[in-house]
Amino acid sequence: MSDEDKNPEDEFTEMLRQFLSGNSDLDPSKLASAAGLPSDPAAVAQLMQQLQKAMQHTGDGVDWKVALEAAQEIAAKDAVVISPASRSALEQALHVAELWLDEVTYVAELAATPRLLSRKEWATATMPVWTQLAEPVALSIADALTRVLKEQAPEELSGMMASASQLMRNIGGALFAMQLGQVVGQLSTEVVSGGDVGIPLLSEQQAALVPQNLDAFGEGLDIPVDQVQLYLSVREIAHARLFRHAKWLRLHMISSITEFARGISIDTDRLEELASGFDPSNPEELRQAMVSGALIPPKSDSQLQALARLETTLALVEGWVDVVTAAATVRLPKRDAVAETVRRRRATGGPAESAFSTLVGLELRPRRLREAAAMWQAVTDAVGAEMRDSLWSHPDLVPTSDDIDDPAALVARLLAGVPEPDEMDQAIEDFFREEEGGGAGDEPNPV
């Protein structure tokens, strides 16, 4: 075949294949480093394998199997099998937690039995939500990378880059997916339960504990292990029961996050600057830009407003869980010590949460948690648990940011009487109940 007959896309694809098969002067470890991934031989080999798969991917979206496989591999390292005695103790703690919550709440009971998950099982079960939250950003980065590479390519390669745009988009998406897999895999070694990060990661309002991480949580606290297990079991079941009771809440929260993520744009000027001066032998500047979030520009006014609403919802959920958990665990002598450990841990977060915030531009920790908890406590003291929990029955009744600022005004309104949702709102609520299967599990529990 003559040079004139060569297809630029085929030529570029062959060049990539040569690189990915190792028949190139370029060092694959440099690419791994630039992507913010480990550069040890095993990680580099995995990266090359995933990029080869990306070349064969024919869909428009990101191949999220890459993220799942990366997360599962990290989660499976240093795995500890739960002993029969520990399993029995945790199952008993979860059972007691249900009974204690029945005494202090009017929210629906769980339809499914709480689960005990390994780290790998947690990563697998939660990955669908993580990919849903991250996909808008992944597509934005992949599109921006493709556009910048086209613009920065030498003139003699411009036709080649234009022809291979889908291929480059797939590779950019694969790199992002691997980074997300690293984040979720690391999170699987830190979280103690399904609702530990605040958002509802498990479907069907499932409650779950991660025994290996729960054991690590209790190390060095000088608190009896059974009290730690009971306290964290109550927190997890309270969180899951709230989302089962307020059937609109999970969709509202996840939709708010994805709406926020869709508004994220990529700083192409910064990306072009990095691309034009990129030194393959020293990828540190590009790596720092990717892992620090420098490619995501400051939030727009609409994004800031959406973020404020989301933070309010997160704070309301976590504050309610705190208040209910405190009431349900009055029998535990070390309740306050465990609660303080939870608060400190939640305030600081972990390295994986920091990585997710830079990857997607979203902090998961609500800043107004203490104020929200104080508001829920004031409501409980003034009108009781039944009216407090009835506020979750419809989005129009849920307290607002202003209510967190002024709990006394909220209490005054509640004492004056809460307006009922109109007929349309009630029809929507009834629809959600039917979708969930309804039944006795949806009835409030008597105090």
Side-chain angles (χ1 to χ4, degrees):
M1 180 184 294
S2 65
D3 291 342
E4 290 79 3
D5 295 330
K6 288 183 179 178
N7 185 314
E9 183 173 1
D10 292 340
E11 185 179 351
F12 180 61
T13 302
E14 181 59 29
M15 181 180 72
L16 278 176
R17 285 202 179 95
Q18 291 292 323
F19 165 64
L20 295 176
S21 63
N23 300 323
S24 169
D25 293 334
L26 294 175
D27 183 358
S29 66
K30 303 296 185 183
L31 179 60
S33 178
L37 303 172
S39 56
D40 60 89
V44 171
Q46 182 189 26
L47 172 63
M48 293 298 102
Q49 182 182 24
Q50 296 295 354
L51 292 182
Q52 287 171 342
K53 290 181 181 179
M55 292 182 64
Q56 300 167 3
H57 181 56
T58 57
D60 286 337
V62 178
D63 183 4
W64 290 114
K65 289 186 294 185
V66 173
L68 178 59
E69 291 170 3
Q72 288 176 332
E73 182 174 353
I74 294 173
K77 292 178 180 177
D78 304 318
V80 175
V81 178
I82 182 174
S83 69
S86 295
R87 176 176 292 277
S88 177
L90 285 171
E91 288 174 347
Q92 180 64 22
L94 289 164
H95 176 68
V96 172
E98 289 270 21
L99 297 176
W100 286 359
L101 283 167
D102 286 347
E103 298 174 351
V104 299
T105 63
Y106 278 76
V107 295
E109 295 178 357
L110 296 179
T113 302
R115 300 172 61 190
L116 301 180
L117 300 177
S118 68
R119 291 171 172 177
K120 184 177 179 180
E121 288 171 335
W122 182 91
T124 303
T126 63
M127 184 57 78
V129 173
W130 291 118
T131 56
Q132 184 179 353
L133 303 183
E135 186 163 37
V137 184
L139 295 177
S140 293
I141 289 179
D143 288 341
L145 176 63
T146 302
R147 186 165 61 252
V148 168
L149 285 174
K150 284 182 184 178
E151 295 171 353
Q152 292 292 327
E155 186 175 350
E156 62 271 17
L157 296 180
S158 58
M160 182 187 302
M161 286 295 183
S163 302
S165 59
Q166 181 63 52
L167 186 60
M168 292 304 300
R169 196 168 184 266
N170 289 347
I171 290 177
L175 288 173
F176 186 95
M178 287 198 72
Q179 287 184 300
L180 180 65
Q182 295 275 326
V183 169
V184 176
Q186 182 58 39
L187 268 173
S188 75
T189 70
E190 299 172 7
V191 296
V192 298
S193 64
D196 199 13
V197 298
I199 58 178
L201 295 171
L202 299 174
S203 61
E204 299 179 358
Q205 294 73 51
Q206 176 84 58
L209 296 177
V210 185
Q212 183 174 353
N213 298 343
L214 194 149
D215 289 343
F217 175 95
E219 289 178 358
L221 292 183
D222 194 28
I223 301 172
V225 65
D226 60 334
Q227 294 195 38
V228 173
Q229 292 174 343
L230 277 166
Y231 187 91
L232 295 179
S233 294
V234 170
R235 276 194 60 82
E236 172 62 5
I237 291 180
H239 189 271
R241 283 173 67 159
L242 175 60
F243 280 91
R244 174 163 172 75
H245 177 77
K247 294 177 174 59
W248 56 270
L249 183 57
R250 185 176 192 269
L251 178 61
H252 167 76
M253 188 175 288
I254 292 178
S255 298
S256 296
I257 297 174
T258 53
E259 180 183 358
F260 169 84
R262 286 192 193 98
I264 291 176
S265 60
I266 304 304
D267 188 346
T268 53
D269 290 340
R270 176 61 175 149
L271 196 56
E272 288 176 4
E273 179 185 333
L274 289 169
S276 62
F278 178 60
D279 179 2
S281 66
N282 181 25
E284 183 62 21
E285 185 179 11
L286 178 58
R287 190 193 73 81
Q288 284 293 337
M290 294 182 73
V291 302
S292 69
L295 296 180
I296 299 178
K299 300 174 181 65
S300 65
D301 289 342
S302 61
Q303 276 190 301
L304 289 172
Q305 293 171 4
L307 184 59
R309 291 192 297 270
L310 178 60
E311 285 185 337
T312 296
T313 303
L314 282 167
L316 288 170
V317 169
E318 291 289 292
W320 182 89
V321 170
D322 276 2
V323 168
V324 167
T325 300
T329 56
V330 291
R331 299 175 179 88
L332 295 181
K334 294 286 188 177
R335 174 194 65 176
D336 292 341
V338 185
E340 182 57 31
T341 302
V342 170
R343 280 191 290 268
R344 289 200 306 267
R345 181 173 175 270
R346 183 170 47 203
T348 58
E353 283 188 49
S354 298
F356 180 76
S357 69
T358 56
L359 201 60
V360 181
L362 178 68
E363 288 282 354
L364 295 176
R365 294 300 172 179
R367 291 178 293 179
R368 308 192 66 198
L369 175 57
R370 288 182 182 273
E371 295 95 327
M375 181 210 70
W376 285 120
Q377 189 60 59
V379 169
T380 306
D381 295 341
V383 299
E386 183 174 9
M387 183 172 286
R388 175 200 67 201
D389 294 347
S390 70
L391 296 178
W392 289 107
S393 63
H394 191 275
D396 289 348
L397 302 180
V398 175
T400 65
S401 178
D402 290 340
D403 294 326
I404 296 177
D405 292 333
D406 189 3
L410 171 61
V411 167
R413 291 204 312 275
L414 294 176
L415 291 173
V418 180
E420 292 292 328
D422 61 26
E423 292 183 5
M424 178 63 73
D425 290 335
Q426 190 60 54
I428 294 173
E429 175 66 15
D430 292 343
F431 170 78
F432 276 115
R433 288 188 180 279
E434 291 174 6
E435 287 292 302
E436 290 291 333
D442 291 334
E443 296 301 319
N445 300 299
V447 173

